Amino acid sequence: MASIKMKPVDAVVIGGGWAGSILAKELTEAGQTVVMLERGADRSTASDGAYPGSIDELEGNFRHKIFQNLSKTSVTIRNSSDQTALPYRQMAAFLPGEGVGGAGLHWSGVHFRMPPDDLILRTKVKEKYGEKFIPEGMNLQDYGVTYDDLEPFFDKAEKVFGTSGEAYTVNGQVVGKGNVFAPSRSDHFPLPALKDVYGANMFRKAAEEVGFHPYAMPAANASAQYTNPYGVQMGPCNFCGYCSGYACYMYSKASPNVNILPALRPDPNFELRTEAHVLRVELDGTKTRATGVTYLDRNGNDVFQPAELVIVSAFQFHNVHLMLLSGIGKPYDPVANEGVVGRNFVYQNVTTTTAWFDKSVYTNQFIGTGGGGVAFDDFNSENFDHGPLGFIGGSPVWVNQAGIKGIAAAKIGGPPGTPHWGSAWKKAMVDTYQHSVRMDAHGTNMAYRDVYLDLDPTWKDAYGMPMLRMTFDWKDNDIRMNRYVVSQIAKVTKAMGARDVHLGQRQPGEHFDTRFYQTTHLAGGAVMGDDPKTSALNRYLQSWDVSNVFVIGANAFPQGTGYNPTGMVAALAYWSAHHIRTTYLKNPGPLVQL
Amino acid sequence: MRHFKRGVAAALFGGLGVALAGWPAMLPPARAQAPAAAAPGLVAQGEYVARASDCVACHTAPGGVPFAGGLPFALQMGTIYAPNITPDPQTGIGRYTEAEFARAVREGVRRDGASLYPAMPFPSYARMTDADIHALYVYFMQGVKPVASTVKANSLPWPLSMRWPLIGWRMMFAPSVKDAQAKSARPFDDPVLARGAYLVEGPGHCGACHTPRGITMQEVALTGADGTRFLSGGGVIDGWIPTSLRGENRTGLGRWSEDDIVEFLKTGRIRRGSAFGGMSDAVGHGTQHLTDEDLHAIARYLKSLPPHDTTQTPWRYDATLATALHAGDLSARGARTYVDNCAACHRTDGQGYPTVFPPLAGNPVVMDKAPDSLIHIVLTGDILRATHQAPSAFVMPGFATRLSDEKVADVVSFIRKAWGNDAAPATAQDVARVRKALPRTEGDAAVPLN
Ligand SMILES: Cc1cc2nc3c(=O)[nH]c(=O)nc-3n(C[C@H](O)[C@H](O)[C@H](O)COP(=O)(O)OP(=O)(O)OC[C@H]3O[C@@H](n4cnc5c(N)ncnc54)[C@H](O)[C@@H]3O)c2cc1C
Ligand code: SF4
């Protein structure tokens, strides 16, 4: 195939998801010419969210119509360094996106700000419990930014996403019934909180009764029609339950497609190229400067796109993969405990508890919205004393009834122990569908020396590139954290008057099993920080080694957090863009001098 | 707005036989003087006039280069194609002198003397000022890139392929430029009204869709001075019925304020309703580009037009059916279909979520005498296009494949009755008729990207 060289542009953005769209918008606003390269197809509500064809559970959640095409690229996975990794060939544990909007098109919409203490976790833990409290082999780090640094950008992201929620404090004043543990905000949520579904409301009352502090989950599912600062509009959510895995047909769930791109596409400085799979970022002879990127176009041509600035925003693990393939930053070596790219790879530690109620209580599991629900944070972040408990981390707990559809309900069936077929199964399934409530402990996963990402020595993807290898397993600290928090849920289910409860807890010694969906909240691997020995990026998400490369995504989190990542990813994207606009473009070079 | 023009052309050939005598008026062959480079302001001014006149709507093929022509007007007996009006000398209008250009635009006569099909709204354009025509000419000659593109030959069979009978139509129905200009220049107390009248009656050619037509397809009134039938609502075009732009309380603009109209023409969406059908294009190509002053002029002028139908009682919201739906009472005709298919966006109380999803309660389109537009949109759905100031497009899905004629009639009747709308019900026959007449393809329905 031909080798094509394109006309140079100011900036090239890799990936058309949340991070990429935010950066492309900000850079075009700054007058830069921007080319955004997206490996997948173009997507929109009118095509992918066309009602009623779009709300097809088989096509959406089981055949994964708008997810990554694993026959072209995937990752390999193993639990520990002494194993041989195998490719992840079928979507299960996590569901990466592909196509314009990325996973941001088929996400659920839970939209949090990072707890302030999580941003300075190492400092906080040392201060509260002493350095010895940190287990051997755990890489606990600070982000290098504080909540106050990021507050304006959390605020901006919420306004762009049209987030629904209720504040607790605005500018230090108590203003509502929001999360008492949440930090003060500079403004209210742009939209009022979504209504509680029935099960969430039962949970709210019970949690209050036992002395916890429930609040409405902040959700990027619009509680009313909304116009964001870009002038683009959203419709109101109708709790149809087709968020996760689908493009929302009501224009109600925030996505790059609905919330940013309508204002970006008409900009003459902006060009979107789809079916453009980036193979690597090209560096000059000094390896300290990127000259552009090479991608394969839809006809298989090798295309070089020269650019002054490269934004890597292809999703957490793709970002790490691209850095490794391009030679940006020193790859992590777990044996020597050196290098940073691939280091501190983390996941989300989620388990689900189910409670069954009297037949007169209809919880109607089919109703719901991806981001809505009721949560309490009494066991999240540093909101409780870890001293006597002996673990680091925590979990928010919530009823996030996102709408369970028919096939999923059939797969869930009844309580553990009921058959998976026949009339007993049917009865239990119907009972569960109508009369149960599911609660998640959505916990942290800390970073460990022997959990990491690197290039697989054996497996190559369809483009001949070495695949990314994940070495991941659950660790004792995180399992104990989960077991403790879940044990607290029992108090709530009791107060709810449950007739039967299944507490979803991790088992001691449990291994990561890729066959079951957990979440797509993967993080770390190219983290931000103040020290280039333990971070691949500085506090502005700029590569320490190649200063005209910025890497935007959850890869920047040094360890896991109890919340879903996207609120933080978006805030970091705006934060980074702000510093590119105000400082970097005026004087390109490292934004942090060592 | 191109839809109406197809309708007009169709009717003209569909058995009218405007077989009146006349001969092509031959002009002495003249070579276009390449106009000396004009002040750049003039090109921009001409572009503005082109927007106000919505030239691009007809003279661009779906997905084609603007003004290079080729938009098909599919008629029962053949197809005619809009000509290339880029300044290409061979295939476009590059050889037109300004006088020839003015004659084509205002009088419907081609450079070679042949008559234009009245799909070209020259009876309205007749009142355009010499200054606007001059700017428009300069724009087309200097601001538009010549595109060599031969538009397909019309495929009308003889005798319909003859253009000379059109001369008679022109003589009977198209005003002379002098008369037209004089009429538009009639005295107004308010210069804003005068400007509004000019824009609406002239370049804007609003009447082409919104004024009823006579049996020979001429608009029954071309200006506000011609009586209250002007802009009192047009005939069916591609299954859509353009509403009255006069002061009727229920079916016209009686309850719209001047600001409502301005906002509507800018964004296609206001608290009272959203643009769809041909109006969506008119906002997209045309009105959104006009200045606030001109939009206010248009709005004020429209607000000055008294109702044609003086019998309408004021619309008042009636909560009876909304309350019933809220209580789970689905016994009213069409209520169940409404709740299952429409209520998510338009709500059980009919208020919608403006300006994202339009209200049906009190919406003039819903209360129109004929249910055609409502039936059509239920069957095919439609697109509210993005504009500069409202960059989000919204797509309503069509229900043609999911709902039978009976069900559509039920739900349309429900919508027409509920919330104080009190319009006459629709029948399954109405639905069948509209369904049958639906255009087979909506050629320019590019899928929005949000
Ligand atoms: C089912 C599901 C539910 C979720 N729910 C939530 C939730 O409720 N709350 C929350 O906070 N988060 C949620 N997430 C996570 C959320 O989707 C991600 O955090 C977010 O989308 C990350 O944005 P991003 O821009 O980093 O990556 P993405 O949105 O994934 O975008 C990356 C883009 O880059 C493209 N790309 C990748 N590699 C290349 C390449 N080599 N060349 C060109 N393009 C490339 C991809 O195709 C993709 O379009 C959910 C995820 C899933 C899958
Ligand atoms: S639940 Fe709400 S946000 Fe989610 S897909 Fe349905 S309407 Fe959209």
Side-chain angles (χ1 to χ4, degrees):
Chain A
M1 287 291 151
S3 250
I4 301 170
K5 187 172 169 192
M6 306 298 286
K7 223 174 89 206
V9 291
D10 295 331
V12 65
V13 172
I14 310 172
W18 274 124
S21 301
I22 289 171
L23 264 292
K25 179 79 179 85
E26 289 277 315
L27 291 171
T28 48
E29 278 179 17
Q32 299 272 296
T33 52
V34 177
V35 165
M36 185 156 93
L37 301 170
E38 166 55 49
R39 67 179 169 182
D42 208 344
R43 297 196 197 283
S44 72
T45 310
S47 54
D48 296 281
Y51 180 86
S54 63
I55 55 165
D56 177 338
E57 188 188 10
L58 183 63
E59 186 182 78
N61 280 137
F62 288 87
R63 294 182 177 155
H64 300 113
K65 184 185 149 215
I66 57 176
F67 295 86
Q68 182 174 339
N69 177 356
L70 295 186
S71 71
K72 295 265 191 214
T73 57
S74 186
V75 292
T76 65
I77 306 179
R78 60 181 180 173
N79 284 135
S80 60
S81 307
D82 55 0
Q83 297 175 333
T84 305
L86 289 173
Y88 180 62
R89 292 178 190 273
Q90 302 212 338
M91 289 284 188
F94 50 89
L95 307 170
E98 182 166 308
V100 173
L105 182 63
H106 55 63
W107 72 318
S108 300
V110 180
H111 186 182
F112 276 108
R113 298 178 169 205
M114 185 75 89
D117 288 346
D118 283 19
L119 293 168
I120 48 165
L121 197 57
R122 183 179 182 85
T123 305
K124 202 80 196 172
V125 167
K126 258 174 66 179
E127 197 180 282
K128 277 175 87 172
Y129 317 112
E131 183 141 24
K132 285 218 184 70
F133 197 74
I134 304 170
E136 173 68 30
M138 183 189 286
N139 291 341
L140 197 61
Q141 291 178 206
D142 293 351
Y143 279 67
V145 285
T146 64
Y147 175 78
D148 288 343
D149 290 332
L150 294 182
E151 203 289 332
F153 306 99
F154 284 125
D155 181 65
K156 180 156 184 178
E158 286 168 357
K159 286 179 171 140
V160 169
F161 284 47
T163 303
S164 307
E166 181 165 8
Y168 177 62
T169 42
V170 171
N171 295 323
Q173 302 296 311
V174 176
V175 293
K177 290 202 240 120
N179 180 9
V180 299
F181 298 105
S184 185
R185 310 160 50 85
S186 59
D187 200 353
H188 290 268
F189 285 94
L191 287 173
L194 291 156
K195 297 266 186 294
D196 294 353
V197 296
Y198 188 58
N201 199 257
M202 288 164 61
F203 177 81
R204 180 194 286 278
K205 287 186 185 142
E208 232 156 51
E209 202 179 305
V210 300
F212 299 151
H213 299 85
Y215 62 91
M217 293 169 69
N221 315 81
S223 60
Q225 66 270 49
Y226 179 68
T227 305
N228 84 3
Y230 298 141
V232 305
Q233 294 176 281
M234 302 171 82
C237 167
N238 71 359
F239 288 67
C240 78
Y242 282 85
C243 297
S244 180
Y246 307 83
C248 168
Y249 61 89
M250 292 284 288
Y251 304 85
S252 314
K253 181 181 67 176
S255 66
N257 316 58
V258 167
N259 295 57
I260 297 179
L261 290 167
L264 184 54
R265 290 182 193 261
D267 193 316
N269 278 340
F270 173 73
E271 188 194 341
L272 167 65
R273 291 186 205 138
T274 55
E275 294 172 67
H277 185 98
V278 176
L279 298 175
R280 67 191 156 269
V281 179
E282 302 291 354
L283 305 182
D284 71 3
T286 67
K287 304 283 173 207
T288 59
R289 217 193 119 64
T291 55
V293 306
T294 295
Y295 66 93
L296 284 178
D297 72 9
R298 59 169 63 87
N299 303 315
N301 297 311
D302 225 47
V303 185
F304 176 57
Q305 174 61 62
E308 292 296 315
L309 177 62
V310 176
I311 305 295
V312 183
S313 48
F315 185 70
Q316 176 264 343
F317 67 76
H318 297 305
N319 288 350
V320 177
H321 193 206
L322 282 165
M323 290 178 81
L324 290 169
L325 292 174
S326 313
I328 299 170
K330 189 171 175 194
Y332 176 59
D333 173 350
V335 179
N337 200 11
E338 278 175 4
V340 286
V341 183
R343 185 174 179 276
N344 281 28
F345 167 52
V346 294
Y347 200 19
Q348 189 95 57
N349 187 8
V350 195
T351 59
T352 300
T353 290
T354 309
W356 285 263
F357 296 90
D358 192 80
K359 299 273 160 82
S360 63
V361 177
Y362 282 89
T363 55
N364 291 337
Q365 298 268 4
F366 52 87
I367 295 172
T369 177
V374 171
F376 61 81
D377 266 20
D378 298 72
F379 306 100
N380 189 26
S381 193
E382 283 303 314
N383 303 344
F384 60 114
D385 186 5
H386 292 70
L389 300 169
F391 59 75
I392 295 173
S395 307
V397 176
W398 57 54
V399 171
N400 166 224
Q401 184 168 307
I404 298 175
K405 292 153 282 279
I407 305 174
K411 286 187 76 177
I412 291 168
T418 37
H420 287 286
W421 66 91
S423 54
W425 163 70
K426 273 191 206 161
K427 220 169 129 253
M429 178 184 92
V430 172
D431 181 31
T432 301
Y433 203 38
Q434 293 184 329
H435 308 294
S436 72
V437 173
R438 289 158 67 83
M439 288 150 258
D440 304 317
H442 196 267
T444 51
N445 168 221
M446 291 296 130
Y448 300 93
R449 183 170 160 179
D450 57 355
V451 171
Y452 58 97
L453 301 170
D454 65 355
L455 291 178
D456 193 288
T458 319
W459 295 91
K460 291 196 162 55
D461 64 20
Y463 308 111
M465 298 285 158
M467 282 166 69
L468 186 74
R469 177 169 65 180
M470 294 179 170
T471 304
F472 182 87
D473 213 348
W474 299 119
K475 298 285 182 177
D476 180 61
N477 173 80
D478 300 348
I479 292 172
R480 283 189 295 113
M481 182 281 292
N482 168 270
R483 293 183 68 81
Y484 171 74
V485 177
V486 173
S487 71
Q488 300 298 313
I489 299 178
K491 296 181 189 162
V492 181
T493 54
K494 187 153 170 257
M496 287 168 88
R499 77 175 131 97
D500 192 8
V501 178
H502 169 70
L503 287 182
Q505 272 173 320
R506 287 214 185 284
Q507 298 308 309
E510 179 179 331
H511 293 292
F512 172 52
D513 187 340
T514 60
R515 295 170 305 163
F516 302 100
Y517 183 67
Q518 336 226 337
T519 73
T520 314
H521 307 163
L522 300 142
V527 314
M528 62 194 293
D530 286 333
D531 180 357
K533 284 207 193 60
T534 55
S535 60
L537 312 172
N538 66 24
R539 66 196 297 262
Y540 305 108
L541 288 83
Q542 180 182 35
S543 159
W544 286 111
D545 303 270
V546 184
S547 67
N548 64 338
V549 171
F550 288 74
V551 185
I552 319 288
N555 54 274
F557 303 2
Q559 58 265 329
T561 170
Y563 290 150
N564 320 46
T566 310
M568 178 65 177
V569 170
L572 286 177
Y574 279 116
W575 154 263
S576 177
H578 173 77
H579 291 281
I580 295 173
R581 290 178 69 166
T582 53
T583 311
Y584 177 88
L585 290 179
K586 291 186 185 127
N587 184 16
L591 291 173
V592 176
Q593 300 291 347
L594 289 169
Chain B
M1 232 176 279
R2 53 179 64 153
H3 302 288
F4 100 83
K5 291 156 189 165
R6 290 181 198 164
V8 175
L12 249 175
F13 291 97
L16 252 185
V18 271
L20 295 158
W23 297 100
M26 295 297 283
L27 270 189
R31 271 201 47 79
Q33 299 280 311
L42 201 54
V43 174
Q45 200 185 320
E47 181 177 10
Y48 185 80
V49 177
R51 302 257 203 216
S53 316
D54 203 5
C55 308
V56 77
C58 289
H59 291 282
T60 308
V65 185
F67 305 120
L71 181 77
F73 291 69
L75 319 173
Q76 263 162 358
M77 63 296 286
T79 304
I80 63 173
Y81 296 91
N84 177 348
I85 55 166
T86 70
D88 182 62
Q90 259 67 45
T91 61
I93 59 167
R95 288 198 231 174
Y96 275 63
T97 62
E98 184 167 334
E100 290 164 342
F101 176 81
R103 190 174 65 153
V105 173
R106 291 195 292 213
E107 297 170 63
V109 181
R110 212 161 66 177
R111 179 164 177 270
D112 65 3
S115 294
L116 296 176
Y117 295 109
M120 172 80 174
F122 53 84
S124 297
Y125 291 163
R127 60 205 78 242
M128 287 174 72
T129 61
D130 294 348
D132 274 357
I133 291 285
H134 176 60
L136 196 60
Y137 179 71
V138 169
Y139 167 63
F140 273 108
M141 293 302 151
Q142 295 177 23
V144 175
K145 266 220 200 97
V147 176
S149 163
T150 309
V151 165
K152 271 207 212 144
N154 297 339
S155 66
L156 292 174
W158 189 88
L160 296 174
S161 55
M162 294 189 301
R163 287 179 184 250
W164 62 263
L166 294 167
I167 296 168
W169 191 92
R170 272 202 286 115
M171 285 173 28
M172 286 184 59
F173 303 123
S176 79
V177 173
K178 217 173 108 217
D179 289 354
Q181 286 180 340
K183 205 172 225 174
S184 270
R186 66 193 183 272
F188 287 95
D189 305 341
D190 176 358
V192 175
L193 276 181
R195 173 72 180 159
Y198 172 71
L199 288 166
V200 168
E201 298 168 1
H205 65 283
C206 308
C209 288
H210 291 276
T211 298
R213 286 176 185 265
I215 158 158
T216 38
M217 290 316 290
Q218 81 289 7
E219 292 162 42
V220 296
L222 283 168
T223 72
D226 302 335
T228 60
R229 292 178 75 193
F230 179 60
L231 299 182
S232 66
V236 181
I237 298 154
D238 280 352
W240 305 114
I241 299 189
T243 52
S244 169
L245 303 183
R246 306 185 66 94
E248 287 82 4
N249 179 282
R250 287 173 170 262
T251 60
L253 299 179
R255 284 171 291 121
W256 292 37
S257 68
E258 183 177 315
D259 287 343
D260 284 343
I261 298 172
V262 169
E263 192 59 25
F264 184 82
L265 295 175
K266 251 196 251 184
T267 64
R269 61 202 78 185
I270 60 162
R271 66 199 159 112
R272 301 180 184 282
S274 295
F276 64 99
M279 196 60 204
S280 205
D281 288 342
V283 171
H285 302 135
T287 57
Q288 66 156 322
H289 301 286
L290 301 188
T291 61
D292 276 10
E293 291 77 56
D294 276 351
L295 291 176
H296 274 283
I298 290 173
R300 198 171 304 172
Y301 172 65
L302 293 177
K303 285 299 290 177
S304 77
L305 303 174
H308 173 66
D309 176 356
T310 50
T311 62
Q312 295 184 6
T313 54
W315 174 81
R316 235 170 232 107
Y317 187 77
D318 175 346
T320 314
L321 276 174
T323 313
L325 295 192
H326 207 77
D329 172 1
L330 299 176
S331 57
R333 178 184 175 202
R336 159 129 239 157
T337 310
Y338 181 80
V339 168
D340 287 349
N341 296 282
C342 318
C345 295
H346 298 290
R347 301 175 54 132
T348 48
D349 63 9
Q351 308 277 22
Y353 296 96
T355 53
V356 174
F357 304 131
L360 301 175
N363 190 322
V365 172
V366 169
M367 290 184 275
D368 203 89
K369 237 188 353 260
D372 295 38
S373 287
L374 198 52
I375 293 172
H376 184 164
I377 200 164
V378 169
L379 289 174
T380 61
D382 206 39
I383 299 170
L384 172 61
R385 297 267 168 205
T387 73
H388 293 311
Q389 299 204 17
S392 299
F394 293 108
V395 180
M396 166 170 164
F399 293 83
T401 54
R402 306 177 63 216
L403 298 180
S404 64
D405 290 351
E406 285 73 25
K407 282 255 153 46
V408 174
D410 288 350
V411 79
V412 163
S413 300
F414 178 85
I415 294 165
R416 281 167 68 79
K417 177 164 178 45
W419 315 301
N421 289 347
D422 277 331
T427 64
Q429 288 72 31
D430 290 330
V431 180
R433 173 174 54 76
V434 174
R435 204 191 272 269
K436 208 162 142 225
L438 287 179
R440 253 153 295 151
T441 51
E442 301 268 318
D444 52 347
V447 172
L449 291 170
N450 61 320

